[in-house]
Amino acid sequence: MSEEVGSMLVIYDDPSDRHSLSLDDASSTEESPDETRLSLETSNDAIPYIGQRFGTHDAAYEFYSEFAKRSGFSIRRHRTEGKDGVGKGLTRRYFVCHRAGNTPVKTSTESKPQRNRKSSRCGCQAYMRISKTTEFGAPEWRVTGFANHHNHELLEPNQVRFLPAYRTISDADKNRILMFAKTGISVHQMMRLMELEKCVEPGYLSFTEKDVRNLLQSFRKLDPEEESLDLLRMCRNIKEKDPNFKFEYTLDTNNRLENIAWSYASSIQLYDIFGDAVVFDTTHRLTAFDMPLGIWVGINNYGMPCFFGCTLLRDETVRSFSWALKAFLGFMNGKAPQTLLTDQNICLKEALSTEMPTTKHAFCIWMIVAKFPSWFNAVLGERYNEWKAEFYRLYNLESVEDFELGWREMVCSFGLHSNRHMVNLYSSRSLWALPFLRSHFVAGMTTTGQSKSINAFIQRFLSAQTRLAHFVEQVAVAVDFKDQTGEQQTMQQNLQNVCLKTGAPMESHAATILTPFAFSKLQEQLVLAAHYASFSIEDGFLVRHHTKAEGGRKVYWAPQEGIISCSCHQFEFTGILCRHSLRVLSTGNCFQIPDRYLPIRWRRISMPSSKLLQSAPNDHAERVKLLQNMVSSLMAESAKSKERLDIATEQVSILLSRIREQPISLQGGRDISSITRNL
């Protein structure tokens, strides 16, 4: 290759094949071969040049595509001249930059609104033209025009691979994906597994999650209309057996199932107490149908996940999310949560502002962090873990001012000023960073432990997805399983003796009221409170660590009204009093925590048996479940002392003898057998 060619001119053009550079010009011009620089060895040439020859136009396309990939863009076939089998046949081809041309704006109509998504095309004039010649006997393709001037920024090597032209799924990977889909795991999990199998860093596969979803969509083999009928039939059957089961659905203009949502009577009862902070997880899809799945989950007084409701949607639009939120509010008698944690979804955010205007909307930190490997691993390389540690430090700060200062320093230190993910994270910081959220109750669902617990709980719903109707059954089984394991864990916790660590009257008082889960959180603060000093100031108290000479937290306490508040806002955030407030209460000779600071949602809740019997349904299966709850309460209360256990053992023995004397009806035997098989 000559020195002139190696310098890579902005535009190359063969004078003998002069043609307009307009990419929209469809005219055809006859070639007049002239003396041009020829090369029969093109495999080692890095840059296209006039006169470069190829055996086929596909070979020319592959060469230009590889050049484009190294340079930071991709190409597409733009125009051909001539026609195979007619006259001289195909005579000329144009390959252009993927951003060539301009996409006209679609005109919207009232009946069919258009999305008008932003196009990547910006009129780029970079191209390569090849023309067919038979100059040496056999037909060959020769480069007769080449322009490498772009009116847009070229991508870095770690970014260009995400262009659609370079995202490919091999046949072996397709088979692997379909096998994963049959097991019911999520697309996100598929990506992580394949990264591990191929020993590549997160985000370095040759395809994206969207590509996998498109593949799964193309392999859908079941009849969606038949599936919809089965799903509705299943819900109606459940409704007939349990009048308290609730479900809503919509049909599209073709009378096909569009959206559906459902909830159970037990879920609605749980929501009434624990629906103050809710996670609405929309990050999963039914892989067999590529349907967005939304699950409402909360945390009960024992720190365990509880199911509130579920929805399947046709798409992720504002309209679909609005419908889902309305349906959920309908199930819950119009009661909206105080705080709703979701994924970063613009359409969901817009729907929430309309349907739940009084609810504090926040982003789930664990849903954000799950995307970090694909967002930042390739960008930061060896500094990724260092950056992640700094991000967590900023996330957990208490002061907004400290967060703002630390964020600017982090961006400068890691050179992330123009990174679009960092820009988006900062613009939405008030929805995910703790310094902005500490005044809102989240029930501890932002902690790593709770996020893992909730994710594990949701995974029970996603296993063995085969048919839509079966999925509803799977959710019901998972909810029942959760309830049973929850009762077992509750009993185990009650059987354990609570260990008092401070000897303070406030500690022993709280231990009799709060669940072991909530008490352990309060006990941590009581132990730490001993390390703090309190100073009376004009309008309250200043509380700081005994080793600090400055700073501290400001606590306001009105003993007569039983009101105490701290500038750290921990009680508002978790429902558990902070060490600063506890220190002030102790200093003020307060021997019991004010009742309002022992929230109902963290207390040991046991509904009186008389109330349970009054509200007991007539359905046999429901009455058996009611008996299960009563037996669980009996065991929990009896295990608290030897005297209680002796009384319970004696009375249950008498009751069991009386029950065995009663005759068993055939229908009752069938019911009991079917119930015990499901337990």
Side-chain angles (χ1 to χ4, degrees), residues 532-649:
Y532 284 75
S534 63
F535 307 93
S536 179
I537 57 177
E538 184 178 354
D539 53 350
F541 294 85
L542 182 65
V543 181
R544 68 165 68 104
H545 196 271
H546 72 95
T547 61
K548 305 290 184 181
E550 297 180 355
R553 297 290 179 268
K554 187 175 180 180
V555 177
Y556 170 78
W557 183 34
Q560 293 77 16
E561 292 82 11
I563 296 175
I564 191 167
S565 64
C566 180
S567 60
C568 76
H569 298 294
Q570 177 169 304
F571 180 78
E572 292 84 352
F573 188 59
T574 65
I576 302 294
L577 273 181
C578 63
R579 64 200 76 173
H580 317 108
S581 297
L582 291 169
R583 178 58 181 166
V584 170
L585 290 175
S586 178
T587 303
N589 298 321
C590 184
F591 299 110
Q592 287 191 354
I593 295 175
D595 194 62
R596 69 174 65 189
Y597 298 108
L598 297 171
I600 295 295
R601 71 115 51 235
W602 292 132
R603 296 189 183 195
R604 301 170 186 258
I605 302 172
S606 58
M607 191 176 293
S609 57
S610 58
K611 184 175 180 181
L612 285 171
L613 290 170
Q614 290 172 5
S615 60
N618 293 325
D619 184 78
H620 189 83
E622 288 297 321
R623 292 177 66 84
V624 172
K625 290 186 69 174
L626 174 60
L627 179 60
Q628 278 187 294
N629 293 333
M630 294 172 67
V631 171
S632 296
S633 299
L634 174 65
M635 292 180 64
E637 293 298 324
S638 301
K640 292 180 179 179
S641 69
K642 182 180 181 300
E643 291 75 19
R644 287 187 177 190
L645 195 59
D646 291 341
I647 295 173
T649 303

Side-chain angles (χ1 to χ4, degrees), residues 143-429:
V143 176
T144 57
F146 173 57
N148 200 40
H149 177 71
H150 298 264
N151 64 350
H152 56 89
E153 291 185 4
L154 298 178
L155 301 177
E156 296 295 328
N158 60 355
Q159 298 173 321
V160 70
R161 60 194 176 85
F162 291 116
L163 291 174
Y166 305 125
R167 300 201 317 248
T168 57
I169 305 179
S170 67
D171 290 339
D173 287 338
K174 288 180 181 178
N175 293 333
R176 196 83 175 134
I177 290 168
L178 293 176
M179 185 196 73
F180 285 146
K182 291 178 182 178
T183 66
I185 67 174
S186 68
V187 173
H188 181 73
Q189 290 174 316
M190 292 181 195
M191 298 292 286
R192 299 291 82 80
L193 282 172
M194 297 186 77
E195 286 167 352
L196 290 172
E197 290 176 350
K198 295 175 179 291
C199 296
V200 301
E201 294 291 333
Y204 272 84
L205 290 174
S206 61
F207 48 87
T208 65
E209 290 190 14
K210 182 178 179 181
D211 299 325
V212 174
R213 291 194 178 99
N214 289 339
L215 175 68
L216 293 173
Q217 181 72 15
S218 68
F219 277 90
R220 288 179 61 179
K221 298 185 182 300
L222 296 174
D223 182 358
E225 293 188 21
E226 183 64 28
E227 283 293 298
S228 300
L229 292 175
D230 287 347
L231 178 59
L232 290 176
R233 192 179 298 116
M234 168 64 70
C235 289
R236 288 178 179 130
N237 289 341
I238 297 175
K239 183 73 173 177
E240 289 178 2
K241 296 177 182 178
D242 179 8
N244 294 317
F245 173 76
K246 294 186 178 182
F247 76 102
E248 293 288 343
Y249 66 93
T250 62
L251 303 176
D252 62 16
T253 54
N254 296 318
N255 208 36
R256 296 178 303 180
L257 182 68
E258 187 176 38
N259 305 306
I260 187 167
W262 68 94
S263 184
Y264 305 94
S266 59
S267 298
I268 296 169
Q269 292 174 357
L270 288 171
Y271 181 85
D272 190 49
I273 302 173
F274 308 118
D276 41 16
V278 178
V279 170
F280 185 31
D281 189 341
T282 58
T283 60
H284 303 282
R285 304 171 82 90
L286 284 189
T287 52
F289 302 89
D290 196 36
M291 293 184 68
L293 169 68
I295 301 175
W296 286 278
V297 184
I299 292 292
N300 68 11
N301 52 337
Y302 284 88
M304 294 179 292
C306 51
F307 174 86
F308 294 142
C310 195
T311 184
L312 287 169
L313 305 174
R314 176 72 60 84
D315 51 38
E316 295 180 278
T317 61
V318 175
R319 177 175 172 271
S320 294
F321 284 130
S322 293
W323 178 87
L325 294 172
K326 287 179 181 177
F328 181 74
L329 287 175
F331 297 158
M332 305 306 169
N333 303 310
K335 179 183 176 182
Q338 295 177 27
T339 306
L340 189 68
L341 303 171
T342 74
D343 189 22
Q344 296 166 288
N345 189 302
I346 296 176
C347 293
L348 178 55
K349 184 175 182 293
E350 184 177 338
L352 274 166
S353 64
T354 302
E355 306 303 333
M356 296 183 179
T358 61
T359 296
K360 171 59 182 178
H361 179 212
F363 291 153
C364 275
I365 188 61
W366 74 79
M367 296 182 190
I368 295 176
V369 172
K371 302 168 187 173
F372 281 179
S374 59
W375 284 358
F376 300 114
N377 207 332
V379 176
L380 295 169
E382 294 180 352
R383 301 193 69 190
Y384 171 72
N385 289 331
E386 179 189 352
W387 169 84
K388 192 173 179 181
E390 178 62 11
F391 175 88
Y392 274 120
R393 187 188 72 81
L394 297 177
Y395 165 74
N396 283 293
L397 289 175
E398 291 186 2
S399 165
V400 172
E401 292 75 15
D402 290 343
F403 175 87
E404 296 286 355
L405 178 61
W407 187 272
R408 288 194 294 270
E409 292 176 349
M410 178 183 68
V411 169
C412 292
S413 175
F414 291 90
L416 296 171
H417 297 85
S418 59
N419 184 279
R420 64 186 180 91
H421 298 301
M422 289 296 288
V423 172
N424 290 336
L425 281 173
Y426 182 72
S427 64
S428 62
R429 62 194 181 282

Side-chain angles (χ1 to χ4, degrees), residues 126-137:
Y127 80 105
M128 185 176 85
R129 181 180 65 229
I130 59 173
S131 302
K132 187 164 69 173
T133 177
T134 56
E135 185 177 339
F136 298 101

Side-chain angles (χ1 to χ4, degrees), residues 90-107:
L90 194 63
T91 59
R92 187 179 290 114
R93 299 209 67 156
Y94 288 82
F95 308 129
V96 299
C97 174
H98 72 288
R99 302 194 66 178
N102 294 285
T103 302
V105 177
K106 298 177 183 178
T107 56

